[in-house]
Amino acid sequence: MSDATGQPRVGVYVCHCGTNIAGVIDVKNVAEYGATLPNVVVSREYKYMCSDPGQELIHQDIHDLRLDRIVVASCSPLLHEHTFRTATEAGGLNPFFFHMVNIREHGSWVHTDRAAATLKARDMLRAAVRRVARHRALETRSVPINPDVLVLGGGIAGIHAALTLANAGKKVYLVEREATIGGHMAQFDKTFPTLDCAACILTPKMSQVKSHPNITLWTYSEVTKVDGYVGNFKVEVTRHPRYVDEALCSGCMQCVEACVYKEGRVPDAFNYGLSKRKPIYMPFPQATPSVVLIDPEACIDFKSGKCKKTCIEACDRDAIYLKQAANVEEVNVGSMVIATGFQPFDVKRTPYYGYGHYPNVFTSLEIERLVNASGPTGGEVVGRDGKKPKAVGIIHCVGSRDQHTNKWCSRVCCMYSLKLAHLVREHTDAEVFNFYIDMRTPGKGFEEFYQRLLNEGVHFVRGRVAEVTDWAHDRSEEGKLVIRVEDTLIGTVRRIPVDMVVLSVGLEPREDAQDVRRLFNISCATEGFFLERHPKLAPVNTSTDGIFLAGCCQGPKDIPDTVAQAGAAAAEALALIDAAHIELEPNTAYIDAEHCSGCKTCIPMCPYTAISFVAERDRVAVQKAEINEALCKGCGTCVAACPSGSIHQNLFEDDEIFEEIAGLLETAG
Amino acid sequence: MSAPAQAGPPDRYVYFPGCSLKGTGVAYEESLLTMFRKLDIGVDELEDWNCCGATSYMAISEGSAFALAARNLALAHRAGARELMAPCSACYLVLMKTLDYRKRYPSVDKSVREALDRAGLPATNGVRVRHPLEILYNDIGAARIKSKVVRGWTGGRLACYYGCQAVRPYSEVDDPHQPTRMEQLLNAIGVPTVDYTLRTKCCGGSLTGTIPTVGLRLNYELLKESVRNGAEAIVTICPLCQFNLDAYQGQIRADIWKALDVPVLYLTQVLGWMLGGEWRELGLNRSISGVSVLKRWFSAPKEKEAYV
Amino acid sequence: MPSSTEKLPAGAYNPPMPEAFPVVQGPVAVFTRAKDESVIRRRIRYQREADVSWTERVVSQPGCEGLYGCIQCGTCSASCPLAIYMDFTPRRIIQLVREGFHHDVLRSQTIWLCASCYACAVHCPQDIHITDVMYTLKREAIAANVAPKRFPIPVLAGVFYDMVRKHGRTSEFWVVLRLLLRTNPLGFFSMARTGIALLRTRRLSFVQDRIKARGELQALLPPAEEVH
């Protein structure tokens, strides 16, 4: 639709954005300036360009004035580029003949000098008008979405996401690294604020997962390779050998009983080392799947080859197979939900609390196991010396809110510390002291829970404990653990001797979070938790399309929030699947094959592994690099790196960029 | 000159005694020099050093405090040394802080430079500050010390007392929460130590002299807790700590604990003894408390001659 | 009523109240007033006593920049060996500084009782260099001339300072002598036991140690000095 001379016909629209832009920039001036620029047929100003009437302006002008290029000077493209591209397309033009200038986030929101900001807006507009003349028509690409989903992690987040997706009729692969699903929640006794028994509410869901026809449950397995892109992921899952056939084992545990070890020797990870297990073991009584496994590092047969193998004798289903090898499965899925959870803070990093040095200093998770009826002591809360404590100190914020360890607040510790205070009192009648900095109880029913604890006679001392010591001032402190703290509310330093100290550890990202994120091509935030696309508006999406987050791997949170997030992640995946197709942004790079010399410089540079080297195709030598449009995110690295300049990028062609630069550098009128 | 050898520690160190080591802490200097001599390492006193300013100067004028300390570093630099050993914890801390704050705060660096220029001293900030404990641990090492030991230990169990300023806020000398280097070095040569939690609790510094009700009590608690955990003597690395724990036991006996009589030794005295030093050259004759115990412990003749 | 924009003389809306407020007035009150009423104190802080520009000045000193990050957790006081003797614990001093109540802070004993052991600074979860704040407050107190005149610690600092300025080194005997003369001459006798032990073991010298390059030192130290 260019005019007779082949010159483009540009329409310029400058937005007031209410007072967001107009409050600092003289919009009228900018619009008037726009009219003086070459190729500009019309230049308008409007209060809210993103509104219906605003977009209508564009439609009308394209029709009436036969425009073929549109420039809108308003807010950030991240917000409304899509809106205006759609408007341009609705007016009958290819949407990529549109260009946006950000005079809000780059103009009125960051400057206070009206005159200078207005001049800057004019410069930016001039550059944009020159650039848009060079825009080419582009087409978005549509790719189909595979309806199957992979859920990584079998804690409550993964379980809930998997069940939601499976109930919607989608096929789900639930991959869990441990030998059983259940995650940390399976280790808790009661949950706040209702004091629901964790196992009672979790095990029905675990059993549903096991029996659901749409869920393929792979425990003791890890994802080892991920290829592909949204809608088409190719995932390699390595299933580690249990040395027991999952299909045959009925979970009767006769083999464990028959093991040559009469007693457990290996610290039991489920009970945080407070009890011991045998080399052949069931992770915990309600493990799902209910299948035993053998630890090759502890089993005599694996270590020396000489064992009577009484376990094999005892099994009447012949389920034990010591020569079992790892098995690699490959699946195709369209989307994935990452729900790998958290790890607790390592208290060895805070040696001043005496963990490991004094036997009766425990972590909160260890106490969870102690109070649990199916724990190592059958629910008896006793110290490592077997004695029941008469006074217990619970220290909040261990490892959290601290510049030396983890800067963040772990969100759940105040609530679980209150819960433990209640449970410890219930089990021991001991005097319980909670030492806190702030009492954070924001959720539904949480403040009421705090009120309940206040009325149960628990001591609340507002003060962060500096150290736990066995230094005794007098006879009454001998043999006790003394907590030295400033009671900031009374206003004095106190020494409180207790028999047992509970360290309320914070939540932190798993050790291998960086490895996982590289595997999946997602990002981690500075603290190490996986990064969501937007903290408020897209908390379960990642910046990689098709991969969603759920649970504590994205940030510390309690069970209600985890379940909500898992449901949200499942919903996002379902939205993707039900749309059946996804449009890919055409700002991708492409290689001019004629000029590509096959030097392979670009290939290792691509952070999205979108470039591959094609040696030959159909028996014909090619020896050139090729870019997978679907994987390419348009970062431009290869474009800059190519020594022969053979790589170009849609929407960022050389002439487009040079025009923009020239436009900026032109001395303004 | 402290030119590092190819393998093994340097053969000489430049050393900053500070006012204490020439006064009430003279035994520290005597034993330090003896110990290094037995290890075949030379120690040269920094020429015309001045007082580091300790806590007092910083309480009155920050500019003066840093300038005062910086003069010593500048003197070392001018003498060609790139390392300066400061055995006194307060001196060590002040010198480390001067180095650190000159790096981190341009205003401090500027004020120190101007001061050094006025005095005609080199203004560079390149001299590293060392402490005998970390020199023993890092540069020399337990194995080398062990190879030069000529006596068996005939003394009792020791409580290692690190004090505060040697390990806080800079932790090159040892960990501020759970220091173990003194124990490691002593145990390696057969000297038993005890475990107790007050290893880095402040002795009160100058408060023992100025506000006895407060200071004496802090000293009393340190002595009591060490003895309660089985120690028969204290071993320390700071002259002010040694002075506080050693010199005021008479007053503590009068006010609180009649039976108190615990010897307070310097690490360099214990190591020096094991390496073959004698009673007077180690300054053991300067001890005030627990002298009868010390006479029993430090009377064994050498068991073997040192390797050449 | 005057409008809120007019300047009023200080105290116009809040006339000074007597410290103790007797319930019954008149000559009879002398006999009828309860004995313990005189201990009733009125304690309130008005914003006119707070000066945040003073806070900013403190925070701008090297080492003090983390002060605003204090979450009042109390770890500093809990780890401080002297906190139990202080009128304001370290945590309260930080809050007082943060709010600008320089009057309370500079007259407190806390800043002088601080032994600079750095336990607070190492334990602080917000990484605030509390010891440096204490040093800054000591300097401010001396500069404002509100340090208690006979309290041994600031006097010790001053004696030490003068001696080093003049001679370049300190001699413990002369420091202690000058200190005692200024604060507590009779203290000499209680120090006698220790003094004799030190003399006996020859750890005490009467000689004033000094450096050679005293002129260099004079040039080094800043000329216009804050005097105590």
Side-chain angles (χ1 to χ4, degrees):
Chain A
M1 273 191 251
S2 313
D3 65 15
T5 57
Q7 290 295 96
R9 297 173 65 79
V10 183
V12 169
Y13 302 87
V14 190
C15 185
H16 286 238
C17 194
T19 51
N20 271 310
I21 296 176
V24 176
I25 292 178
D26 184 349
V27 176
K28 194 160 144 60
N29 180 294
V30 177
E32 281 169 5
Y33 179 67
T36 67
L37 294 169
N39 298 324
V40 173
V41 170
V42 65
S43 178
R44 300 189 196 281
E45 48 161 320
Y46 190 64
K47 266 262 167 4
Y48 298 102
M49 276 307 298
C50 53
S51 63
D52 275 348
Q55 295 180 52
E56 191 44 40
L57 273 179
I58 297 177
H59 302 156
Q60 271 309 113
D61 284 349
I62 292 175
H63 181 261
D64 298 344
L65 301 169
R66 293 172 299 118
L67 299 177
D68 57 16
R69 299 284 190 277
I70 307 289
V71 173
V72 173
S74 60
C75 53
S76 165
L78 281 177
L79 201 47
H80 280 308
E81 184 172 61
H82 189 253
T83 313
F84 294 124
R85 276 193 184 149
T86 311
T88 307
E89 196 173 25
L93 285 181
N94 181 289
F96 298 96
F97 283 141
F98 161 79
H99 189 65
M100 193 151 170
V101 186
N102 185 350
I103 56 172
R104 190 181 73 173
E105 278 86 334
H106 289 191
S108 62
W109 273 5
V110 293
H111 299 303
T112 46
D113 182 337
R114 274 192 77 96
T118 305
L119 278 177
K120 179 175 172 179
R122 285 159 61 125
D123 288 343
M124 287 165 75
L125 182 61
R126 185 176 62 244
V129 167
R130 282 188 68 155
R131 186 201 215 275
V132 79
R134 300 291 182 141
H135 277 208
R136 295 123 164 100
L138 293 169
E139 298 302 324
T140 53
R141 219 177 81 128
S142 191
V143 289
I145 306 277
N146 182 318
D148 297 350
V149 187
L150 182 120
V151 175
L152 185 71
I156 182 64
I159 289 173
H160 185 81
L163 284 172
T164 308
L165 288 161
N167 287 338
K170 311 298 173 211
K171 185 161 156 60
V172 180
Y173 297 96
L174 179 53
V175 179
E176 164 58 54
R177 163 188 293 170
E178 299 293 327
T180 170
I181 52 174
H184 280 103
M185 190 173 167
Q187 292 169 304
F188 298 160
D189 179 39
K190 304 237 178 358
T191 55
F192 59 78
T194 46
L195 294 176
D196 270 307
C197 157
C200 306
I201 55 180
L202 179 65
T203 45
K205 283 180 97 102
M206 283 164 63
S207 132
Q208 267 187 299
V209 165
K210 184 81 183 67
S211 57
H212 204 295
N214 288 341
I215 300 181
T216 302
L217 176 60
W218 283 339
T219 51
Y220 216 42
S221 307
E222 281 181 279
V223 167
T224 37
K225 198 154 180 269
V226 177
D227 273 324
Y229 49 93
V230 58
N232 281 294
F233 291 110
K234 241 196 282 295
V235 185
E236 187 186 88
V237 179
T238 301
R239 307 209 55 207
H240 299 298
R242 295 168 115 97
Y243 308 103
V244 174
D245 190 332
E246 212 175 301
L248 292 173
C249 175
S250 68
C252 69
M253 301 214 287
Q254 301 267 33
C255 51
V256 179
E257 183 64 40
C259 178
V260 292
Y261 280 94
K262 283 301 139 221
E263 281 176 359
R265 298 277 187 91
V266 185
D268 186 351
F270 188 78
N271 283 331
Y272 291 101
L274 292 172
S275 64
K276 294 201 167 43
R277 58 153 172 87
K278 299 187 187 182
I280 185 167
Y281 65 105
M282 178 71 80
F284 68 101
Q286 295 80 34
T288 303
S290 186
V291 177
V292 297
L293 68 152
I294 299 180
D295 174 4
E297 306 211 344
C299 171
I300 296 181
D301 197 63
F302 278 90
K303 290 202 292 187
S304 67
K306 301 195 189 82
C307 180
K308 283 193 286 191
K309 304 205 236 303
T310 41
C311 52
I312 296 184
E313 253 180 69
C315 179
D316 57 6
R317 285 159 161 251
D318 274 333
I320 299 179
Y321 178 48
L322 296 173
K323 300 249 180 308
Q324 193 181 66
N327 188 22
V328 177
E329 303 267 6
E330 213 182 72
V331 292
N332 284 332
V333 292
S335 49
M336 302 195 268
V337 176
I338 310 235
T340 48
F342 67 92
Q343 78 185 17
F345 171 75
D346 178 8
V347 279
K348 292 205 196 57
R349 291 168 65 190
T350 48
Y352 37 87
Y353 288 140
Y355 182 83
H357 194 233
Y358 302 120
N360 288 333
V361 176
F362 291 87
T363 62
S364 46
L365 287 160
E366 288 171 341
I367 297 289
E368 285 277 353
R369 295 313 303 146
L370 285 182
V371 299
N372 191 237
S374 50
T377 54
E380 286 281 313
V381 178
V382 289
R384 288 191 173 89
D385 51 11
K387 292 205 213 117
K388 212 167 176 164
K390 295 209 195 64
V392 178
I394 301 179
I395 301 180
H396 292 216
C397 299
V398 175
S400 305
R401 300 186 70 187
D402 188 339
Q403 297 285 328
H404 307 302
T405 52
N406 294 334
K407 299 190 179 141
W408 60 88
C409 164
S410 292
R411 197 169 167 137
V412 302
C413 324
C414 276
M415 280 305 292
Y416 83 55
S417 301
L418 290 174
K419 172 194 76 171
L420 287 177
H422 170 83
L423 291 172
V424 165
R425 254 182 91 73
E426 204 176 55
H427 286 240
T428 61
D429 252 336
E431 231 186 329
V432 176
F433 293 85
N434 277 54
F435 301 98
Y436 65 100
I437 308 175
D438 293 295
M439 194 55 83
R440 297 190 159 173
T441 55
K444 199 162 173 178
F446 288 14
E447 184 65 23
E448 293 83 341
F449 191 66
Y450 179 33
Q451 286 292 323
R452 177 181 177 164
L453 262 297
L454 283 168
N455 287 310
E456 281 182 9
V458 170
H459 295 268
F460 285 98
V461 176
R462 188 196 173 275
R464 182 174 179 279
V465 175
E467 62 175 356
V468 172
T469 167
D470 64 355
W471 167 34
H473 262 193
D474 54 45
R475 287 264 137 71
S476 71
E477 293 184 357
E478 290 256 350
K480 303 255 183 194
L481 291 168
V482 176
I483 291 177
R484 192 171 197 264
V485 66
E486 187 194 8
D487 185 330
T488 62
L489 298 176
I490 295 180
T492 165
V493 174
R494 288 173 70 172
R495 287 176 63 91
I496 301 175
V498 297
D499 302 299
M500 179 188 273
V501 172
V502 179
L503 302 176
S504 294
V505 290
L507 278 56
E508 57 181 35
R510 284 191 169 266
E511 231 169 12
D512 62 351
Q514 290 291 338
D515 296 328
V516 171
R517 75 141 185 99
R518 258 180 238 120
L519 193 60
F520 287 89
N521 240 334
I522 58 176
S523 314
C524 283
T526 29
E527 310 97 353
F529 292 105
F530 295 135
L531 187 61
E532 62 288 316
R533 183 179 285 182
H534 190 284
K536 287 198 260 291
L537 299 180
V540 298
N541 302 66
T542 58
S543 43
T544 304
D545 290 327
I547 302 186
F548 307 100
L549 302 171
C552 289
C553 63
Q554 182 260 348
K557 55 180 69 72
D558 55 22
I559 294 166
D561 286 347
T562 298
V563 171
Q565 213 184 38
E572 294 282 334
L574 285 169
L576 195 63
I577 296 168
D578 284 355
H581 287 91
I582 189 165
E583 303 257 313
L584 295 181
E585 173 91 354
N587 65 343
T588 50
Y590 62 92
I591 297 177
D592 173 3
E594 211 182 296
H595 290 110
C596 172
S597 65
C599 71
K600 300 191 196 164
T601 305
C602 55
I603 293 170
M605 297 244 156
C606 179
Y608 303 97
T609 48
I611 314 182
S612 49
F613 186 71
V614 181
E616 64 165 36
R617 182 171 282 129
D618 298 330
R619 310 265 199 90
V620 177
V622 174
Q623 299 287 334
K624 294 199 188 278
E626 267 182 17
I627 297 179
N628 179 340
E629 249 182 15
L631 279 176
C632 175
K633 288 258 160 208
C635 71
T637 307
C638 58
V639 181
C642 176
S644 57
S646 317
I647 310 187
H648 306 271
Q649 183 160 352
N650 290 323
L651 284 182
F652 289 94
E653 302 278 356
D654 284 355
D655 57 351
E656 288 169 355
I657 296 179
F658 282 129
E659 281 294 325
E660 200 170 348
I661 296 173
L664 282 172
L665 295 176
E666 228 182 78
T667 328
Chain B
M1 294 287 178
S2 42
Q6 274 300 90
D11 51 357
R12 301 203 80 80
Y13 287 95
V14 178
Y15 131 87
F16 175 79
C19 309
S20 287
L21 263 73
K22 298 293 189 190
T24 53
V26 60
Y28 198 178
E29 182 176 68
E30 289 170 328
S31 54
L32 182 91
L33 295 174
T34 304
M35 181 195 78
F36 273 114
R37 200 174 57 241
K38 297 290 180 195
L39 288 167
D40 298 316
I41 293 173
V43 175
D44 304 312
E45 187 173 312
L46 181 67
E47 185 75 36
D48 210 29
W49 56 270
N50 59 272
C51 175
C52 70
T55 51
S56 297
Y57 255 75
M58 192 59 83
I60 296 186
S61 159
E62 189 189 57
S64 307
F66 284 127
L68 202 62
R71 176 172 176 271
N72 295 303
L73 294 165
L75 288 175
H77 192 272
R78 193 162 67 183
R82 289 296 168 266
E83 293 195 342
L84 184 62
M85 167 170 60
C88 166
S89 300
C91 302
Y92 176 77
L93 171 61
V94 169
L95 292 168
M96 286 288 275
K97 199 168 174 182
T98 306
L99 274 179
D100 184 34
Y101 278 47
R102 280 190 72 182
K103 275 194 209 111
R104 290 202 282 137
Y105 297 101
S107 59
V108 171
D109 189 49
K110 179 164 177 285
S111 129
V112 170
R113 272 176 191 277
E114 282 168 8
L116 291 170
D117 285 341
R118 279 198 302 271
L121 290 163
T124 54
N125 193 23
V127 176
R128 193 173 154 215
V129 180
R130 309 296 306 277
H131 187 281
L133 176 57
E134 58 97 1
I135 286 177
L136 286 164
Y137 189 84
N138 289 323
D139 292 7
I140 301 171
R144 194 178 153 118
I145 299 171
K146 192 168 171 178
S147 72
K148 292 192 176 275
V149 161
V150 298
R151 284 187 167 106
W153 178 246
T154 46
R157 287 186 300 270
L158 303 182
C160 296
Y161 179 60
Y162 294 78
C164 56
Q165 297 191 341
V167 295
R168 291 192 293 263
Y170 302 104
S171 43
E172 276 83 343
V173 175
D174 210 336
D175 182 77
H177 299 298
Q178 312 222 298
T180 53
R181 288 182 175 178
M182 267 206 268
E183 282 90 340
Q184 284 182 56
L185 291 174
L186 290 170
N187 292 338
I189 58 173
V191 179
T193 54
V194 301
D195 189 23
Y196 71 114
T197 52
L198 300 183
R199 306 214 291 288
T200 59
K201 189 162 197 294
C202 182
C203 67
S206 51
L207 285 171
T208 320
T210 49
I211 309 188
T213 19
V214 173
L216 278 182
R217 192 176 165 129
L218 287 173
N219 295 321
Y220 159 66
E221 275 167 8
L222 285 167
L223 292 161
K224 185 177 83 152
E225 189 63 10
S226 312
V227 170
R228 192 177 79 88
N229 279 282
E232 292 161 84
I234 317 256
V235 60
T236 182
I237 49 174
C238 168
L240 191 49
C241 298
Q242 198 279 342
F243 172 64
N244 279 334
L245 293 171
D246 188 27
Y248 290 103
Q249 288 190 24
Q251 223 157 317
I252 299 176
R253 269 195 293 274
D255 295 341
I256 318 171
W257 181 10
K258 285 197 185 44
L260 176 66
D261 195 24
V262 176
V264 182
L265 295 160
Y266 287 108
L267 177 70
T268 44
Q269 285 176 320
V270 177
L271 289 177
W273 173 259
M274 297 297 278
L275 292 165
E278 298 302 342
W279 179 267
R280 286 192 84 84
E281 62 181 353
L282 291 171
L284 285 162
N285 54 320
R286 308 217 190 249
S287 310
I288 295 175
S289 303
V291 179
S292 53
V293 173
L294 290 177
K295 286 214 165 84
R296 254 188 303 122
W297 290 7
F298 295 99
S299 56
K302 286 186 228 182
E303 280 172 18
K304 60 180 193 277
E305 289 306 309
Y307 288 116
V308 176
Chain C
M1 280 258 85
S3 80
S4 56
T5 52
E6 275 177 40
K7 257 187 162 324
L8 287 161
Y13 274 127
N14 190 32
M17 300 294 272
E19 279 298 315
F21 192 63
V23 176
V24 179
Q25 302 281 14
V28 184
V30 175
F31 300 100
T32 58
R33 185 172 21 167
K35 206 162 48 152
D36 292 326
E37 257 173 47
S38 55
V39 303
I40 294 179
R41 292 266 172 273
R42 181 169 176 277
R43 232 188 347 231
I44 181 169
R45 287 277 167 270
Y46 291 100
Q47 279 308 96
R48 60 164 185 266
E49 296 165 277
D51 181 4
V52 287
S53 66
W54 173 78
T55 309
E56 277 164 29
R57 195 172 75 233
V58 171
V59 173
S60 70
Q61 295 291 305
C64 301
E65 52 284 334
L67 194 143
Y68 286 126
C70 177
I71 53 174
Q72 288 287 300
C73 67
T75 309
C76 48
S77 310
S79 55
C80 175
L82 284 321
I84 56 180
Y85 300 104
M86 293 172 173
D87 46 1
F88 297 112
T89 56
R91 172 193 61 88
R92 292 178 70 192
I93 290 283
I94 300 291
Q95 179 68 356
L96 284 165
V97 170
R98 213 165 174 280
E99 290 299 296
F101 292 111
H102 52 87
H103 190 274
D104 297 288
V105 172
L106 297 181
R107 283 161 188 74
S108 67
Q109 300 162 345
T110 303
I111 60 182
W112 299 108
L113 281 171
C114 170
S116 308
C117 79
Y118 289 87
C120 52
V122 162
H123 278 95
C124 176
Q126 293 291 80
D127 215 10
I128 302 172
H129 299 177
I130 299 161
T131 319
D132 286 343
V133 174
M134 290 295 167
Y135 274 129
T136 303
L137 296 174
K138 282 178 170 122
R139 295 196 291 269
E140 291 262 330
I142 289 179
N145 211 11
V146 296
K149 293 274 182 301
R150 285 184 47 139
F151 201 52
I153 300 152
V155 176
L156 172 65
V159 165
F160 197 103
Y161 179 90
D162 285 339
M163 191 176 291
V164 173
R165 215 200 150 87
K166 203 161 156 204
H167 302 290
R169 293 183 190 172
T170 56
S171 290
E172 283 142 330
F173 174 74
W174 292 105
V175 170
V176 172
L177 179 65
R178 291 209 159 90
L179 169 68
L180 286 173
L181 284 174
R182 266 188 238 190
T183 56
N184 178 24
L186 295 174
F188 215 52
F189 296 105
S190 62
M191 296 285 271
R193 192 201 323 254
T194 310
I196 288 167
L198 289 171
L199 278 171
R200 185 172 41 84
T201 53
R202 288 183 295 123
R203 286 161 74 167
L204 198 63
S205 165
F206 294 118
V207 177
Q208 171 66 58
D209 206 357
R210 42 167 66 101
I211 63 171
K212 286 184 250 170
R214 284 191 295 285
E216 200 175 78
L217 195 66
Q218 300 309 319
L220 178 84
L221 295 171
E225 281 289 40
E226 305 88 71
V227 255
H228 48 284

